[in-house]
C-alpha cells in the first residue's frame, strides 16, 4: 500500500471509530431525561389506583420520585452525574496524557456500560432508595470523563489545522446523533419497562469499548506513518495536504524501509522527548482561560436542554391543554387555533420531539466549523451565534408551542445556535489550543487542554440542570431567563479574543491596501 493511501485509510478508521465511541457515550447519557416523565407521570389521567381505588395522582409514580419535590430529586440525579463528571474531567486529561489512550478509552466505556445498566436494573430489582441511583450516577459521571479527552486527542493526532473546523464540526455531530439515538432507544421501553431504557444503551457502549480496544490507532507513528503538520515554518496554517508535504521530505515510514532508516536517522527521538504539559502550563496557553469560561455558560444552556427539554414539553403541553379546555368550556374562541403540540404527549412522544434540538445541533456544529475555517475567527463565530441564540430562546418559550410547524422550526434553530459554539469550542478550538505555536511542537498538551476546557464547561453542565430543577417550580419562564443570561455571559467572556481576531483581520486588510490600521 502506498504510504499516503495507508495514512488516509487509518485516518478514516480513526475518525469513524472515535465518532462511534463518543456517540455511544451520549447515547448512554440521554435515557435519564426520557425516563423522568415516567418516574413521575400524571397518574390521575390513568384513572384510580386499580389496587385500592384511591384517587391519588401519584399512585403510578416510582418512589422516591412520587413526592411534590420530584423536580428537586431529578435535579439531584442530574447534578450527581455532572458534578462527578466536572471534577473527574480535570483529572482525566492528566491521566490521558500518561496512559495509552486505547486502554484508557475502552476501559472507561466498559465501566460506563456497567454503571448505566446498574441504574436500569434498579427497576427490575424494585429499588426505591434515592442513594442507589445517585451512587450509580456519580460512578458513571467519573468513568465517562475518559471519553472526551481521549477521542479529541486521537483525532487531533491525525488531522492538521487547515480544515479542522469543518472536519471536527461534522465529526462532532456524534454528540447530537448519540442524543437522538439515546432518546429513540430509551423511548421504546420507557412506558413498559423503563429499566431497559438504561440496560440496552449500557450494553451498546460496553460493546463499542471492546471494539475500540481492538481497532483504535492512537498515533500515525503506530502504523509507520508521519504525523500531520499543525504549523509550518512560515507561520501559515497547514492544510489538509499535510501528509503529502511530510511525505516529500521524510516519507511515512514503510515496513520495508524501516530497518535502515531507524538505524541511520533518529527523527523519532525528539517526538518522544517532550514531557506531558502541567496543568498550570496548559492554563498559560493564550485563549485557554477565555474559551474555558465561555464554554462553562454555553454548556450550561446545552445540558439544561439535554436533561429537561422532554419534561418541559410534557409540562408546558399539559398547561396549554388545560387552558384550551377552560377556554372551550367557557365558550371563548382560542387566540391560536393551531394544535397545541404536547397537550397529550406521552413520555415517548416528547422524547422523540426533543431530538429535533439535536438535529439542529448537528447543523450548527457543521456551520460553525465551516464559517470559522473560512474566516479564521473561532471566537467571533461563537460570539455571533451566542448573540443570536438569546432572542431565539425567548421566542421559543413564548411561541414555540403554538403549532407543530413552529415548534419544529424553533427547536432546530435553537439547537443550531446553542450547540454550534459548544461544538466548535470542544473540538476545533481545543485541538487548536492543544497544538498552539507556543508549545513548540509538544503534542503532549492536547489531552490536558481538552480536559481543562471541557472540565470547566462541565461545571456549567452541572449547574444548568441543577438550577433548572430549583427554578422550574417558580415557572418555566424563569428557567429561560436564566438560559438567556448564560448565553449573554458566554458571549461577553470572549470579548478579548474577538477584539484580537478583528484586529488581525484589520491588519491583513491594511497590508493589502498599503496602509496601517490603528
Amino acid at each position: 500500500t502506498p504510504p499516503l493511501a495507508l495514512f488516509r485509510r487509518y485516518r478514516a478508521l480513526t475518525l469513524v471509530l472515535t465518532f462511534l465511541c463518543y456517540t455511544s457515550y451520549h447515547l448512554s447519557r440521554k435515557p435519564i431525561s426520557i425516563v423522568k416523565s415516567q418516574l413521575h407521570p400524571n397518574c390521575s389521567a390513568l384513572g384510580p389506583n386499580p389496587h385500592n381505588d384511591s384517587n391519588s395522582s401519584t399512585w403510578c409514580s416510582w418512589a422516591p420520585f412520587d413526592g411534590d419535590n420530584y423536580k428537586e430529586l431529578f435535579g439531584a440525579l442530574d447534578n450527581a452525574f455532572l458534578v462527578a463528571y466536572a471534577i473527574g474531567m480535570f483529572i482525566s486529561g492528566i491521566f490521558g496524557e500518561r496512559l495509552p489512550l486505547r486502554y484508557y478509552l475502552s476501559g472507561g466505556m466498559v465501566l460506563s456500560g456497567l454503571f448505566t445498566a446498574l441504574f436500569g436494573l434498579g427497576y427490575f430489582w424494585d429499588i426505591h432508595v434515592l442513594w442507589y441511583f445517585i451512587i450509580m450516577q456519580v460512578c458513571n459521571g467519573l468513568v465517562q470523563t475518559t471519553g472526551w479527552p481521549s477521542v479529541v486527542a486521537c483525532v487531533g493526532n491525525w488531522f492538521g489545522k487547515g480544515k479542522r473546523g469543518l472536519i471536527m464540526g461534522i465529526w462532532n455531530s456524534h454528540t447530537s446523533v448519540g442524543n437522538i439515538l439515546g432518546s429513540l432507544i430509551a423511548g421504546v421501553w420507557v412506558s413498559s419497562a423503563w429499566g431497559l431504557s438504561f440496560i440496552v444503551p449500557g450494553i451498546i457502549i460496553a460493546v463499542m469499548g471492546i471494539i475500540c480496544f481492538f481497532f483504535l490507532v492512537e498515533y500515525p507513528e503506530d502504523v509507520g506513518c508521519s504525523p500531520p503538520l499543525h504549523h509550518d515554518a512560515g507561520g501559515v496554517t497547514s492544510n489538509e495536504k499535510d501528509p503529502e508535504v511530510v511525505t516529500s521530505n521524510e516519507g511515512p515510514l514503510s515496513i520495508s524501509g524501516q530497518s535502515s532508516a531507524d538505524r541511520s536517522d533518529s527523527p523519532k527521538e525528539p517526538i518522544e522527548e517532550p514531557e506531558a504539559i502541567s496543568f498550570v502550563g496548559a492554563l498559560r496557553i493564550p485563549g485557554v482561560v477565555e474559551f474555558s469560561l465561555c464554554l462553562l455558560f454555553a454548556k450550561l444552556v446545552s445540558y439544561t436542554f439535554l436533561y429537561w427539554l422532554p419534561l418541559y414539553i410534557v409540562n408546558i403541553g399539559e398547561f396549554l391543554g388545560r387552558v384550551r379546555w377552560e377556554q372551550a368550556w367557557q365558550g371563548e374562541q382560542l387566540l391560536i387555533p393551531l394544535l397545541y403540540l404536547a397537550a397529550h404527549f406521552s413520555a415517548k412522544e416528547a422524547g422523540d420531539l426533543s431530538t429535533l434540538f439535536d438535529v439542529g445541533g448537528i447543523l450548527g456544529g457543521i456551520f460553525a466549523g465551516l464559517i470559522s475555517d473560512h474566516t479564521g475567527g473561532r471566537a467571533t463565530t461563537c460570539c455571533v451565534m451566542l448573540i443570536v441564540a438569546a432572542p431565539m430562546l425567548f421566542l421559543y418559550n413564548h411561541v414555540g408551542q403554538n403549532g407543530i410547524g413552529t415548534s419544529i422550526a424553533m427547536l432546530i434553530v435553537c439547537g443550531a445556535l446553542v450547540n454550534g459554539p459548544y461544538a466548535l469550542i470542544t473540538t476545533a478550538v481545543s485541538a487548536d489550543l492543544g497544538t498552539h505555536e507556543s508549545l513548540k511542537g509538544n503534542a503532549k498538551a492536547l489531552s490536558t487542554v481538552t480536559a481543562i476546557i471541557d472540565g470547566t464547561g462541565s461545571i456549567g453542565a452541572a449547574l444548568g440542570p441543577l438550577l433548572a430543577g430549583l427554578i422550574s417550580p417558580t415557572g418555566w419562564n424563569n428557567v429561560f431567563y436564566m438560559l438567556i443570561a448564560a448565553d449573554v455571559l458566554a458571549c461577553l467572556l470572549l470579548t478579548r479574543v474577538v477584539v484580537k481576531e478583528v484586529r488581525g483581520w484589520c491588519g491583513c486588510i491594511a497590508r493589502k491596501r498599503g496602509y496601517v490600521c490603528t
Side-chain angles (χ1 to χ4, degrees), residues 61-83:
S61 298
W62 187 271
F65 308 104
D66 54 349
D68 294 334
N69 65 336
Y70 71 98
K71 289 185 179 179
E72 287 81 356
L73 297 183
F74 288 157
L77 280 182
D78 297 339
N79 216 43
F81 175 91
L82 294 168
V83 169

Side-chain angles (χ1 to χ4, degrees), residues 101-132:
L101 290 177
R102 184 165 59 92
Y103 296 165
Y104 192 55
L105 180 61
S106 57
M109 294 176 73
V110 171
L111 287 174
S112 181
L114 172 64
F115 292 122
T116 301
L118 284 173
F119 191 104
L121 285 171
Y123 171 83
F124 296 100
W125 293 342
D126 201 26
I127 295 176
H128 297 275
V129 181
L130 178 64
W131 285 108
Y132 173 83

Side-chain angles (χ1 to χ4, degrees), residues 180-249:
I180 292 170
L181 291 176
S183 298
L184 297 177
I185 291 172
V188 173
W189 295 283
V190 64
S191 300
S192 56
W194 61 258
L196 290 173
S197 298
F198 291 89
I199 293 172
V200 173
I203 293 173
I204 292 173
I205 188 174
V207 170
M208 276 307 307
I210 296 171
I211 294 173
C212 167
F213 178 81
F214 286 108
F215 296 103
L216 182 65
V217 180
E218 301 173 30
Y219 300 98
E221 298 92 327
D222 293 343
V223 289
C225 296
S226 295
L229 298 175
H230 298 289
H231 303 280
D232 63 28
V236 181
T237 302
S238 62
N239 56 30
E240 282 308 299
K241 292 186 179 180
D242 282 341
E244 300 176 78
V245 175
V246 177
T247 302
S248 63
N249 295 328

Side-chain angles (χ1 to χ4, degrees), residues 11 15 155-161 164 167 228 230 240 242:
R11 184 171 68 172
L15 200 67
V155 173
N157 291 335
W158 282 91
F159 285 88
K161 190 179 177 182
R164 185 179 279 165
I167 291 169
H230 298 289
E240 282 308 299
D242 282 341

Side-chain angles (χ1 to χ4, degrees), residues 58 194 265 447:
T58 61
W194 61 258
D265 299 351
S447 185

Side-chain angles (χ1 to χ4, degrees), residues 257-463:
Q258 199 168 344
S259 58
S260 60
D262 285 351
R263 294 193 201 99
S264 58
D265 299 351
S266 56
K268 294 180 76 173
E269 292 300 322
I271 296 176
E272 298 177 359
E273 285 179 6
E275 296 183 359
I277 193 171
S278 67
F279 186 87
V280 176
L283 286 175
R284 290 174 179 166
I285 299 172
V288 168
V289 173
E290 289 89 344
F291 278 108
S292 296
L293 293 175
C294 173
L295 185 62
L296 187 151
F297 291 101
K299 209 167 178 180
L300 182 153
V301 179
S302 180
Y303 268 65
T304 301
F305 273 95
L306 173 68
Y307 282 93
W308 286 90
L309 182 58
L311 187 63
Y312 166 76
I313 292 173
V314 171
N315 285 0
I316 201 69
E318 289 175 351
F319 169 75
L320 291 174
R322 286 195 299 270
V323 172
R324 183 184 182 186
W325 176 261
E326 290 172 1
Q327 289 178 329
W329 180 260
Q330 295 171 5
E332 297 179 4
Q333 184 172 356
L334 295 177
L335 295 176
I336 304 173
L338 297 175
L339 171 66
Y340 283 114
L341 274 183
H344 302 289
F345 265 24
S346 65
K348 180 182 184 302
E349 292 166 336
D352 292 345
L353 183 64
S354 70
T355 61
L356 293 171
F357 184 83
D358 294 297
V359 172
I362 295 174
L363 300 176
I366 296 172
F367 179 77
L370 182 63
I371 295 299
S372 66
D373 275 346
H374 181 71
T375 62
R378 309 280 200 215
T380 306
T381 303
C382 292
C383 210
V384 170
M385 295 184 78
L386 289 167
I387 289 173
V388 179
M392 294 306 297
L393 291 175
F394 179 84
L395 287 175
Y396 172 67
N397 184 43
H398 283 80
V399 303
Q401 302 294 328
N402 286 350
I404 188 166
T406 304
S407 186
I408 289 173
M410 293 295 294
L411 278 172
I412 292 175
V413 171
C414 288
L417 294 172
V418 168
N419 283 345
Y422 162 37
L424 186 62
I425 293 173
T426 54
T427 54
V429 170
S430 296
D432 290 350
L433 296 176
T435 55
H436 195 269
E437 293 169 328
S438 63
L439 297 171
K440 299 179 181 178
N442 183 0
K444 288 289 187 178
L446 189 51
S447 185
T448 301
V449 169
T450 302
I452 289 174
I453 292 176
D454 199 48
T456 307
S458 297
I459 296 174
L463 287 174

Side-chain angles (χ1 to χ4, degrees), residues 6-20 158-159 211 214-217 223:
L6 182 69
F7 179 92
R8 287 174 173 168
R9 181 183 299 174
Y10 278 106
R11 184 171 68 172
L13 174 65
T14 301
L15 200 67
V16 171
L17 267 181
T18 52
F19 180 92
L20 294 176
W158 282 91
F159 285 88
I211 294 173
F214 286 108
F215 296 103
L216 182 65
V217 180
V223 289

